[in-house]
Amino acid sequence: MGGGIGGAVVAAASAPDCTRHLATPHEANSARPGDVVCFDGDISGDRLVITKGGTPREPVTYSGRGAAVHGITIEADNVVVEGYRTDRPEAPGIELTGDHITVRNNTVTGPRGGDGDGIRFFGNDLKIVSNTVSRTDNRNGHADCMQTFASDSPPSRHVLIEGNRCRRVDNMCLMAEGPNDEDGDGKGSTSDITVRNNYCETLTASQALMFEDVRNATIEGNTFAAPTHHAIGLAHGSTGAHVGGNELDPGIGYEVGIDASSMAGYEGPEPGGEP
């Protein structure tokens, strides 16, 4: 399995050396491409809002090194955000919007309010790697570990979701909806999402992963650790999906549910029923 499967998220031990020390995120506009930014002040009571990025070859890295924040919002291109802890933040615990963003080795515990989601993502060339999300709560909505949609928000393309742990998640580990879904805005397309080597424990949803109007999804090497009705749903034209090598809890009814509009280009185990 990937680096985030076996245990706690590693933050400080593997963190890169800081090249720019700032007191608070309000000073981040001084960051330059290639910088590794560390905040030396106490920012545990604030939501970390990142609006300054670098270039595709030299992103700005914001290194938490185990620091606590009250949630994270990324509205910038060409950034890496790693090594932060957030406990009971306003949901979503981490929200990223932009291109060429990497979010890795962060923890989100018990997000509150809104739909209760752990991570939401929107944009192109995104990497969500080795994060841990736990204890999402359906009391205020449908609390997914991770979610994307395209309703007055950018569709998501070329997304890698790898080595994450979704533990004690009330709703799904991933809900991915494209712009031509029932609630979408019809602009662009959501495609090329790879979900690999993640650990998924969903407590109340019928399926662990749901794709609606998402083309060319790859779903492989994941551990589905709770007895959902089925593991994966493909619907509303989610064509070109590739599924294989996943480990299923014995209580899961069948691995893949799919509708007729999503059958084109499907490769994987024999579908067991509806999505």
Side-chain angles (χ1 to χ4, degrees):
M1 292 297 179
I5 295 295
V9 170
V10 177
S14 60
D17 291 337
C18 306
T19 64
R20 183 170 291 264
H21 290 268
L22 302 174
T24 70
H26 298 295
E27 301 175 7
N29 282 337
S30 65
R32 298 187 297 261
D35 275 348
V36 177
V37 175
C38 297
F39 299 112
D40 295 335
D42 180 7
I43 58 173
S44 60
D46 299 323
R47 190 172 184 93
L48 175 60
V49 179
I50 294 171
T51 59
K52 180 66 180 293
T55 68
R57 289 190 177 183
E58 292 186 297
V60 175
T61 297
Y62 294 87
S63 181
R65 308 175 73 82
V69 293
H70 197 61
I72 301 171
T73 298
I74 304 166
E75 297 177 340
D77 300 333
N78 309 308
V79 298
V80 177
V81 178
E82 62 181 13
Y84 288 93
R85 296 180 294 111
T86 180
D87 187 21
R88 296 176 62 86
E90 289 297 315
I94 302 175
E95 184 167 32
L96 49 150
T97 305
D99 298 338
H100 314 298
I101 299 172
T102 296
V103 172
R104 66 188 178 210
N105 288 355
N106 303 285
T107 64
V108 178
T109 305
R112 295 291 182 263
D115 263 0
D117 293 335
I119 300 173
R120 281 186 179 177
F121 58 94
F122 311 96
N124 181 48
D125 187 22
L126 308 177
K127 296 178 176 63
I128 302 170
V129 180
S130 299
N131 303 282
T132 296
V133 176
S134 60
R135 302 209 308 265
T136 69
D137 191 331
N138 272 350
R139 281 181 292 183
N140 293 316
H142 298 91
D144 301 309
C145 179
M146 290 174 271
Q147 184 184 38
T148 189
F149 49 85
S151 305
D152 297 323
S153 53
S156 294
R157 297 180 294 118
H158 306 295
V159 180
L160 174 64
I161 299 172
E162 183 171 27
N164 302 282
R165 289 184 65 85
C166 298
R167 299 178 57 250
R168 294 174 60 191
V169 172
D170 260 6
N171 211 50
M172 287 175 277
C173 290
L174 173 64
M175 178 69 203
E177 300 169 278
N180 297 301
D181 187 22
E182 294 175 354
D183 298 320
D185 58 18
K187 300 176 182 178
S189 64
T190 296
S191 64
D192 301 292
I193 297 179
T194 296
V195 183
R196 177 189 299 142
N197 293 348
N198 302 281
Y199 177 91
C200 173
E201 182 186 26
T202 182
L203 302 180
T204 65
S206 297
Q207 62 281 316
L209 310 180
M210 186 69 201
F211 298 84
E212 297 183 355
D213 185 40
V214 177
R215 291 167 178 77
N216 304 325
T218 298
I219 307 154
E220 59 187 17
N222 302 285
T223 298
F224 298 109
T228 52
H229 182 268
H230 54 285
I232 302 161
L234 300 166
H236 298 285
S238 293
T239 55
H242 293 232
V243 179
N246 300 296
E247 180 180 343
L248 275 62
D249 181 276
I252 294 175
Y254 51 88
E255 184 168 1
V256 177
I258 192 169
D259 66 9
S261 71
S262 303
M263 284 298 301
Y266 170 75
E267 294 182 1
E270 184 70 24
E274 292 298 309

